[in-house]
Amino acid sequence: MNGVIGMTSLLLDHELSPESLDCVNVIRSSSNALLTIINDILDFSKIESGKLDLENEPFCLRDCVEEVLELLANQAAEKKIELMASIGPEVSEWISGDVTRTRQILLNLVSNAVKFTAQGEVVISAALRESESGENILYLVVRDTGIGITLKKIKDLFQPFTQVDSSTTRRFGGTGLGLAISKRLTELMGGSIWVTSEPRQGSVFHLKIPYRPAPAQKLPRAVPDDWRSKRILVVDDNQTNLRILTAHLDHWKLTSLAVSSGIEALEAMRKERWDAVLLDWHMPEMDGDQLALAVKQEFGNAAPPMIMLSSGTAFSKERFGNFENPLAAVLLKPVRRQQLQRTLAGVLNGLTDRRIARSTKTLDSNFARRVPLRILLAEDNPVNQKVAVRILERLGYRPDVVGNGLEVLEALRRQTYDMVLMDVHMPEMNGLDATRHIVITLSKNRPWITALTAGAMKENRDECIAAGVDDYLTKPINVQELQDGLVRCFRNFKARANEQELTVPIIRQA
Ligand code: ADP
């Protein structure tokens, strides 16, 4: 799968005729579908055989939820569905549990919700409830406004290989395993999952799991004191989104007013002064662009800074660049809370950010110039080798390649590298043995080691970490994840190098 998916993403970066582009896109979506099926079946058999152990580590619930929304943002934008998250103020941002499996359950529920919804909205919400014995329980809900499920079908829904009717399989794909896996995972967590639904009105998947608040692992970004005196106008026709946005603003102690149309927004601006306006692009009658232009026309330089919220497809970069730009910033939906806070901080300080927050281009040939690294790739499988080398080359790197652990050690004797991308399963000497060897023999002078493996389970990761790797990436290689991994290596390598530079003069003095 790594070969198919990796090569496909490389092909997509070529100039292709429209017909070839079509073919490649079909290969890509089919291979992603196949990967889902394989992963589902593997997961399911692992759970059924009782071999699945859950992690219990602190993680940020908001990040987990926002990541799920981000993964499905394009799909939702294409269907013009609003995708939102609402986490109650009573819920601790950090909880203990298994982040991978929590994300998997939510991803499955939200991707079903998007799949079976033609218009309207999909919302994840989190709140606390009390159990019968008086303990707090984390209550997660995924609600959609889609086709719904009849009462008769609901009872079989969580059975493996079940789909509501076979015609939907043809139309929407899927294995019928997602909900069965979600149910088993939830039960392993000590929780329960159920659904309520009304045909043609939508479905609500409910999830209750034990609530284990954890101490924050990262300090939240501080809110400046003067935000208490700032006033923000929020304009969106979608009531859920208005509620969520004003909840964020309340959390930061900002004063806000929510209105649901461009006309009301203009009225509010005539009456009172605003420090910033958050406006949705996709609104009936007067859309975000029209409103922004109307504001500029009526108020000129006295117009408050405007932050546009837009979903990927509705808002093209070209158009944004072309019209005389009255906007202070554009944020792509679904907006992460932290991103909104950062943008507001910039705008309220009088800075404007004309960049669009999330870039779509994946392979940037200047990447290596910004993140320069000498890379050794250790991978025995020729197809995987080719995929990794091509992706790295597209990013501007010239990696050296070896085929097993012994060759890694040999290469490191000959030359210095900043990073080893280390496949785990290799003949002669595997990646973990090679890592152990490097850690012992080269100690502080060793390169950064990032393991590459198809094993996405916790045990696989634990094994890698125990062997001494610095980082961990799973195959099939995802270009974005690889880039993130390169950046992590670069930051840490620089940090180490700087440390050594600092110590040099002291040794000389001695
Ligand atoms: P898959 O989506 O892979 O087919 P699932 O176990 O996730 O398998 O879902 C089983 C079936 O339940 C789906 O095929 C669909 O018929 C129905 N279903 C799941 N979620 C929804 C939803 N949000 N709205 C309507 N039907 C749903």
Side-chain angles (χ1 to χ4, degrees):
M1 290 317 294
N2 186 40
V4 179
I5 291 175
M7 283 297 175
T8 317
S9 55
L10 282 169
L11 257 185
L12 280 171
D13 214 48
H14 277 110
E15 287 283 328
L16 295 176
S17 69
E19 210 177 314
S20 313
L21 183 65
D22 254 7
C23 298
V24 178
N25 272 325
V26 172
I27 300 178
R28 183 176 60 166
S29 58
S30 312
S31 44
N32 282 331
L34 183 54
L35 184 66
T36 312
I37 296 176
I38 294 173
N39 284 339
D40 273 3
I41 294 175
L42 289 177
D43 255 358
F44 189 69
S45 58
K46 182 142 194 172
I47 298 170
E48 290 292 273
S49 62
K51 292 241 169 63
L52 190 87
D53 295 322
L54 291 182
E55 231 172 284
N56 191 16
E57 301 282 337
F59 70 91
C60 178
L61 179 65
R62 181 178 296 282
D63 283 348
C64 172
V65 166
E66 290 181 339
E67 276 159 24
V68 168
L69 295 192
E70 226 160 58
L71 282 171
L72 294 162
N74 285 342
Q75 244 164 295
E78 271 164 27
K79 298 175 87 174
K80 297 206 166 58
I81 299 172
E82 296 274 353
L83 198 54
M84 295 166 279
S86 155
I87 298 180
E90 77 280 15
V91 182
S92 157
E93 297 247 312
W94 289 83
I95 57 174
S96 276
D98 190 321
V99 60
T100 317
R101 297 305 178 178
T102 308
R103 194 189 301 118
Q104 183 178 2
I105 297 171
L106 289 176
L107 188 62
N108 178 45
L109 297 182
V110 179
S111 77
N112 274 343
V114 171
K115 190 153 82 169
F116 296 106
T117 300
Q119 59 188 29
E121 60 187 45
V122 171
V123 188
I124 306 187
S125 55
L128 290 191
R129 288 279 182 280
E130 221 170 79
S131 72
E132 276 160 18
S133 53
E135 285 157 28
N136 274 331
I137 288 183
L138 182 60
Y139 178 47
L140 297 162
V141 170
V142 176
R143 177 173 65 74
D144 67 51
T145 54
I147 60 175
I149 307 161
T150 58
L151 205 56
K152 217 168 83 215
K153 308 279 185 187
I154 281 182
K155 67 177 186 355
D156 293 329
L157 211 57
F158 294 95
Q159 296 300 319
F161 303 106
T162 306
Q163 294 186 315
V164 165
D165 85 63
S166 49
S167 66
T168 60
T169 323
R170 295 242 172 84
R171 193 141 57 99
F172 299 109
T175 52
L177 274 175
L179 289 177
I181 293 173
S182 300
K183 180 171 195 289
R184 298 225 183 0
L185 287 175
T186 313
E187 286 166 356
L188 274 177
M189 292 177 182
S192 57
I193 183 171
W194 73 100
V195 62
T196 49
S197 178
E198 191 149 327
R200 289 183 300 283
Q201 300 296 312
S203 311
V204 187
F205 283 83
H206 312 254
L207 199 74
K208 276 189 177 166
I209 48 178
Y211 175 61
R212 296 196 200 97
Q217 309 289 306
K218 231 177 15 199
L219 281 183
R221 205 187 156 96
V223 175
D225 284 338
D226 68 342
W227 275 27
R228 281 170 194 277
S229 60
K230 302 281 184 196
R231 300 158 41 76
I232 316 288
L233 181 64
V234 192
V235 196
D236 195 336
D237 61 306
N238 181 298
Q239 294 307 311
T240 316
N241 212 18
L242 274 183
R243 207 165 36 75
I244 291 172
L245 286 171
T246 46
H248 288 324
L249 300 175
D250 285 351
H251 176 78
W252 298 317
K253 309 274 189 296
L254 286 156
T255 306
S256 66
L257 174 71
V259 296
S260 14
S261 72
I263 305 287
E264 285 173 63
L266 283 167
E267 252 164 50
M269 282 188 239
R270 284 180 201 126
K271 275 198 214 125
E272 284 171 288
R273 181 192 61 79
W274 298 95
D275 293 293
V277 182
L278 281 178
L279 66 160
D280 185 34
W281 182 82
H282 187 72
M283 289 189 291
E285 288 158 34
M286 188 188 275
D287 70 20
D289 281 358
Q290 290 165 332
L291 173 58
L293 287 175
V295 171
K296 257 310 195 238
Q297 265 163 13
E298 184 167 339
F299 301 94
N301 285 339
M306 288 175 273
I307 302 170
M308 174 96 83
L309 308 180
S310 147
S311 47
T313 50
F315 200 91
S316 80
K317 224 179 196 161
E318 289 74 40
R319 246 198 20 206
F320 180 49
N322 286 344
F323 77 75
E324 210 193 315
N325 182 359
L327 298 173
V330 175
L331 286 174
L332 287 190
K333 292 203 288 187
V335 181
R336 287 187 160 218
R337 176 187 267 197
Q338 241 197 345
Q339 205 178 16
L340 180 62
Q341 189 183 357
R342 219 180 300 130
T343 307
L344 270 172
V347 167
L348 292 175
N349 276 330
L351 305 171
T352 56
D353 181 4
R354 306 210 156 182
R355 283 163 310 158
I356 293 189
R358 186 152 31 94
S359 122
T360 44
K361 184 145 172 44
T362 46
L363 289 165
D364 166 8
S365 56
N366 281 321
F367 190 83
R369 216 170 296 159
R370 282 181 279 120
V371 187
L373 292 170
R374 289 160 297 180
I375 301 175
L376 178 67
L377 170 72
E379 166 69 70
D380 61 312
N381 178 307
V383 174
N384 289 343
Q385 232 179 46
K386 214 177 260 180
V387 169
V389 169
R390 294 270 173 85
I391 294 179
L392 288 168
E393 283 178 351
R394 285 295 177 76
L395 294 172
Y397 294 100
R398 297 269 160 276
D400 289 337
V401 185
V402 292
N404 65 49
L406 289 176
E407 290 177 13
V408 172
L409 302 183
E410 224 176 272
L412 289 181
R413 273 195 286 273
R414 278 197 312 269
Q415 210 176 313
T416 319
Y417 291 95
D418 303 324
M419 177 187 220
V420 182
L421 280 172
M422 183 88 83
D423 182 28
V424 171
H425 299 286
M426 290 188 290
E428 314 231 12
M429 181 190 271
N430 71 34
L432 297 185
D433 286 341
T435 302
R436 285 185 199 103
H437 203 90
I438 295 169
V439 170
I440 293 168
T441 53
L442 295 178
S443 81
K444 264 197 137 178
N445 297 319
R446 71 178 177 82
W448 176 266
I449 303 173
T450 297
L452 282 181
T453 162
M457 299 289 178
K458 176 180 163 6
E459 307 87 88
N460 305 118
R461 201 180 59 207
D462 288 350
E463 221 181 4
C464 288
I465 289 169
V469 307
D470 301 286
D471 198 4
Y472 177 99
L473 292 173
T474 52
K475 292 194 275 190
I477 294 182
N478 169 305
V479 176
Q480 188 56 51
E481 279 166 20
L482 176 65
Q483 281 172 298
D484 293 346
L486 292 165
V487 169
R488 280 194 296 274
C489 164
F490 181 68
R491 290 220 179 103
N492 285 284
F493 181 76
K494 274 278 164 188
R496 266 194 220 164
N498 286 344
E499 223 171 76
Q500 279 164 12
E501 264 162 37
L502 281 178
T503 55
V504 171
I506 300 169
I507 295 167
R508 276 201 199 124
Q509 272 169 17

